[in-house]
Amino acid sequence: MLENEKPRRAFGLAATGVLAGCLVGAAGLVAVAPVASAAACSDVQVLFARGTGEPVGIGRTGQAFVDSLRGDLKGESIAVSAVNYPASDDFMQAVAGARDAAAQVQSFAASCPATSIVLGGYSQGAAVVDLITADPAQTFGFGVPMPPEVADHVAAVAVFGNPSQKIGRPLTANSPLYGAKTIELCNGADPVCSPGDDRAAHSLYPQAGLTDQAASFVADRVKGHSSGAPVDEMSAAVTPR
């Protein structure tokens, strides 16, 4: 999310139920056939969803997180992919982001089963991650986000400024498969994810050191992660230090 993004709009994603209304009946993700060869597989694959209004790519918060993660995982090859979605003020498009993210994750898992997948998202992008990882009963009627066996390939999840925290549904508490491997950070009184009203805080995750904190958490879990089961066979909220 850019410096001039309006947090109250992102907050509306959770507080007014805009996203809830548009997700009903959006189930039915389609797995994507493998697209990478074993030779092209990296040790770690990061998939990040940017915030509202950020240019195409992984966004400023996502880039700070990835840069820090590279420093924490020196010697490991790290590939990075962005969720392809508008990230606009039309929060209905978060569903499109969820579909794209779920398809990418399943493709990574099928193509490179030994790769440790890391999921990340900021603001509206955090909501996208919620939609593919949270308990289906808690994701506003979205349905089953991804096949359960895909979770074995995901080493860690990092979300920043997650709107679901604002309404008492943090990913860490509402995802049986991913909650324990998730770090969910809210910057002080960021109104998008807390009862506070420090709007500037929503744009300051890198400056507050929270992308570094998330990278440290993720790196520890990547180091201890073991994946490899073929796809076809196949959490506690953190307070900023």
Side-chain angles (χ1 to χ4, degrees), residues 58-157:
I58 63 173
R60 189 168 60 89
T61 297
Q63 190 61 58
F65 167 68
V66 169
D67 290 346
S68 186
L69 186 62
R70 290 190 190 281
D72 289 340
L73 291 175
K74 290 179 180 176
E76 300 283 327
S77 58
I78 300 176
V80 179
S81 179
V83 173
N84 181 20
Y85 83 119
S88 66
D89 289 338
D90 179 6
F91 292 111
M92 292 174 63
Q93 296 302 317
V95 176
R99 289 199 183 102
D100 178 77
Q104 287 200 56
V105 172
Q106 291 176 77
S107 178
F108 297 150
S111 301
C112 299
T115 292
S116 293
I117 299 172
V118 173
L119 304 179
Y122 164 60
S123 194
Q124 186 180 171
V128 168
V129 175
D130 283 345
L131 293 176
I132 66 170
T133 58
D135 182 344
Q138 300 296 326
T139 54
F140 311 108
F142 185 68
V144 179
M146 294 189 292
E149 58 269 22
V150 173
D152 294 337
H153 296 261
V154 177
V157 181

